[in-house]
Amino acid sequence: MSPRFKIGDRVCVRADDHEGHHRTPAYLKGKSGVVVKKFGAWRNPEELAYGKPGLPKQPLYMVKFEMDGVWAGNGTYAKRDTVTADLYEHWLEPDGDRQTGSGT
Amino acid sequence: MTHDDHGDEHHDHDHGHPHDHGPFQPDLKEPSEDWEFLEIALRELLIDKGVITAREVEDKIEEWDGKVPENGAKVVARAWLDPAFKKRLLADGNKAVAELGFEFPGLKLVVIENTSKVHNVIVCTLCSCYPRALLGLPPLWYKSREYRSRTVREPRAVLREFGTDLADSVEVRVVDSTADCRFLVLPRRPDGTDGWNEEHLAKLVTRDSMIGTALALTPQGERSS
Amino acid sequence: MTKRGVHDMGGDAAGPIDRHEHEPSLAERRIDAMMLLMRDQKRHLWLTDENRRTIESMAPGDYEAAGYYERWLHALRGLLVEKGVLTEAEISERLAAVRARYDAAEPTA
C-alpha cells in the first residue's frame, strides 16, 4: 500500500476515541502538524495487541507539531519549540486548508 | 523445546528437567513485597513446565548486563570522528551500529542529530520505549509519570531540572517514541576536543546526552548547560 | 477532549522528576529476562503490543500504585494465563507455597 502522505504535507490527527490499545497519544488528537519523516510500513499495533496479524501494514510517519499549536500557551516552552510523534497513516487526515500539495 | 538450543557446551549440565529449580540462587535481598513472591512463583512454574530453564534466565540477564550506555557513547564518538560513518548512522541506525558490533533487532533505530539550532530530547509518553538494545535498561526517571507527562508540555522546565538551560533561539524538539522507532540523540561534540581520539571522546558522552536531557560533558569532564 | 487510558499521560501536570539512579534488583532483571524469553524466537508466545495492552488495561489505581516491573509482572501473569501456559489456580497455589517457604526460612517476619 503506497503511502498517502509525503514529507512536507500538513496533516491533522483524527480526534477519535478508540477503545482498546492504540499508539496515538490523546494530547495530539485533533492537532495539526507536518510530516517530517517516513518510516516505511508496519503491522498495525491495534490488531497485534489482540493476537491478530495487523495486516495490511500501515505506513508510519514522524509528524512534527508546534508546541504552541498543541498547548496554546499553556506550557513551558519557547516559541519555536516543537514535539514529534510517530503516527500510523489511518490516524492522519490531510489538513484541508493548509495542505502543501499532495496530489490534487 | 525444553533442551537448550544455544549450542554452547557449557550449558549442557542443565536445569531443564522438571522439578529441578534448586538450589535456589539466593537473592541479594529476601523477597518481601507481593510482586517479589510472584516473580519467584512464575519463574518456578515456567521452569517446572519446561517453558524456560534457569540457565536461560541467567544467560538473558548476563546478555542484558552487557548493554550499557558506553556502547552508545562509542557510536557517538565514532560519528564525531568519522563523517562518512555519521552519514551512514543518520541514514540507517541499525546498519551503522552493526558496523561496531551492536545488534538492534526488530525495531528501527533512528539517530537524530543535535545541532546549534535544534536540540532533541526523547520521551515515551505512552509507555517507556527506549533504545534498550543499545543502551541497556532505561533509568528509572525515564519511566516515571513525571518525566512522561511533563516533557511534551514543559520541555524547558524539565531540561532545567536536568541542569540544561538552552537559549530560546534553539528549537527544543521533543521526540515522543510512539511507535516502532527507537531514538538515539547524537549530541553535539564539545568545543575544545580537537585532536581527541575515539576512546577519549566517548568518555564525554553520557547516557543523558543520548536521551537529550543533557549535553555532552565539557573537555574537563563537567556537565555543561 | 477525547477519552484516554491511564497510560496516556502526555501533558498531564506532575511534580518534579526524581533523578536518583536506581540499579535494577535481581528480581527486576529476572522479570525483564523472562519477558524477553517469552517473546523470543524459540517461544514466541506473544508480542510487545500484547504486553502493552495488558498493562494499559490495569485499573487506574493499580497502574499508578505499581512500580514499573510490577506492571510487567502483571502482564506476564495475565498473558501466561491468557495463552494457556499457566492457570490462575496453579499460580495461586505456587505463590502460597513460595510464601510459606520463605516464612519458614525466616521467622523474623
Side-chain angles (χ1 to χ4, degrees):
Chain A
M1 154 173 179
S2 67
R4 183 179 179 191
F5 302 108
K6 61 183 191 309
I7 289 172
D9 282 355
R10 280 211 78 95
V11 292
C12 187
V13 184
R14 280 174 35 210
D16 300 351
D17 283 338
H18 181 95
E19 292 293 336
H21 179 74
H22 64 300
R23 297 292 295 178
T24 304
Y27 74 94
L28 293 175
K29 288 182 180 178
K31 307 298 182 191
S32 156
V34 180
V35 173
V36 290
K37 286 180 196 286
K38 300 204 295 186
F39 289 134
W42 300 79
R43 295 197 285 157
N44 184 353
E46 292 158 32
E47 293 207 352
L48 294 178
Y50 300 90
K52 292 187 242 170
L55 297 171
K57 289 183 176 179
Q58 279 289 331
L60 180 66
Y61 305 91
M62 178 190 264
V63 181
K64 186 172 79 166
F65 303 83
E66 292 182 9
M67 280 282 173
D68 218 32
V70 177
W71 304 115
N74 195 6
T76 310
Y77 51 81
K79 196 157 181 61
R80 67 179 71 230
D81 294 349
T82 56
V83 56
T84 74
D86 299 343
L87 301 167
Y88 299 95
E89 185 167 285
H90 63 291
W91 276 95
L92 301 174
E93 286 165 350
D95 191 5
D97 302 338
R98 283 170 294 176
Q99 199 183 1
T100 53
S102 78
T104 47
Chain B
M1 87 181 237
T2 57
H3 69 277
D4 224 318
D5 60 6
H6 289 204
D8 296 10
E9 312 83 272
H10 67 276
H11 290 167
D12 284 347
H13 66 286
D14 213 341
H15 318 267
H17 49 97
H19 304 294
D20 175 13
H21 36 71
F24 289 98
Q25 190 186 24
D27 264 293
L28 300 177
K29 161 181 160 306
E30 289 284 302
S32 56
E33 312 259 355
D34 287 347
W35 67 272
E36 292 174 304
F37 289 110
L38 181 58
E39 182 276 318
I40 296 167
L42 293 179
R43 178 159 43 85
E44 286 182 9
L45 283 167
L46 289 171
I47 291 169
D48 284 359
K49 296 210 167 219
V51 178
I52 57 175
T53 65
R55 168 65 68 174
E56 283 178 317
V57 176
E58 284 164 28
D59 285 351
K60 194 52 91 177
I61 288 175
E62 199 179 304
E63 179 192 334
W64 278 79
D65 282 350
K67 297 180 194 295
V68 289
E70 285 74 10
N71 296 349
K74 206 170 152 185
V75 172
V76 168
R78 175 70 59 89
W80 282 346
L81 285 174
D82 180 348
F85 176 75
K86 176 172 143 184
K87 205 170 161 191
R88 295 196 294 281
L89 183 67
L90 296 175
D92 186 336
N94 303 67
K95 242 192 229 170
V97 300
E99 292 179 34
L100 304 190
F102 301 122
E103 285 179 22
F104 204 92
L107 295 158
K108 188 173 172 63
L109 177 64
V110 179
V111 180
I112 45 179
E113 185 183 14
N114 280 351
T115 67
S116 58
K117 294 194 173 70
V118 181
H119 178 93
N120 294 277
V121 56
I122 313 299
V123 65
C124 172
T125 60
L126 296 174
C127 44
S128 306
C129 297
Y130 185 78
R132 293 164 54 110
L134 184 65
L135 303 185
L137 307 183
L140 202 55
W141 56 258
Y142 186 84
K143 305 181 283 192
S144 70
R145 166 166 273 283
E146 291 77 18
Y147 186 76
R148 288 170 53 193
S149 299
R150 293 175 53 212
T151 305
V152 294
R153 186 171 192 153
E154 32 176 327
R156 299 268 173 173
V158 167
L159 287 174
R160 269 196 294 274
E161 284 183 31
F162 282 85
T164 305
D165 215 343
L166 299 166
D168 279 1
S169 58
V170 177
E171 171 189 336
V172 171
R173 188 178 296 177
V174 180
V175 176
D176 192 354
S177 314
T178 51
D180 304 276
C181 300
R182 295 294 173 270
F183 296 96
L184 181 80
V185 171
L186 175 60
R188 296 177 69 197
R189 178 171 173 172
D191 293 335
T193 56
D194 289 354
W196 286 34
N197 67 20
E198 189 175 305
E199 197 186 341
H200 205 165
L201 284 171
K203 291 196 165 46
L204 305 182
V205 185
T206 60
R207 179 197 64 203
D208 291 7
S209 75
M210 293 180 281
I211 300 173
T213 49
L215 308 178
L217 300 178
T218 66
Q220 293 74 37
E222 286 159 1
R223 288 189 69 106
S224 56
S225 63
Chain C
M1 263 284 95
T2 59
K3 278 190 288 187
R4 60 195 177 113
V6 61
H7 66 287
D8 186 0
M9 58 180 72
D12 284 0
I17 295 157
D18 180 349
R19 296 190 292 110
H20 285 98
E21 295 296 329
H22 162 79
E23 189 66 34
S25 69
L26 181 56
E28 290 174 329
R29 290 184 297 161
R30 280 173 169 158
I31 295 168
D32 211 286
M34 282 193 279
M35 275 299 201
L36 291 161
L37 291 170
M38 295 304 115
R39 302 201 309 256
D40 71 3
Q41 290 193 345
K42 180 170 165 185
R43 278 149 284 251
H44 206 65
L45 283 165
W46 58 75
L47 301 171
T48 310
D49 308 82
E50 296 176 279
N51 267 358
R52 294 201 184 110
R53 180 253 301 168
T54 310
I55 290 172
E56 290 163 10
S57 56
M58 289 173 79
D62 293 347
Y63 181 98
E64 293 293 349
Y68 183 72
Y69 283 108
E70 280 179 84
R71 290 179 200 149
W72 276 35
L73 206 53
H74 170 89
L76 182 63
R77 177 184 192 153
L79 287 164
L80 286 170
V81 172
E82 181 181 316
K83 302 293 177 184
V85 180
L86 303 177
T87 65
E88 270 301 335
E90 281 174 314
I91 295 171
S92 309
E93 192 186 328
R94 181 60 65 105
L95 190 53
V98 170
R99 279 182 183 284
R101 196 168 67 221
Y102 278 95
D103 285 351
E106 198 194 21
T108 52

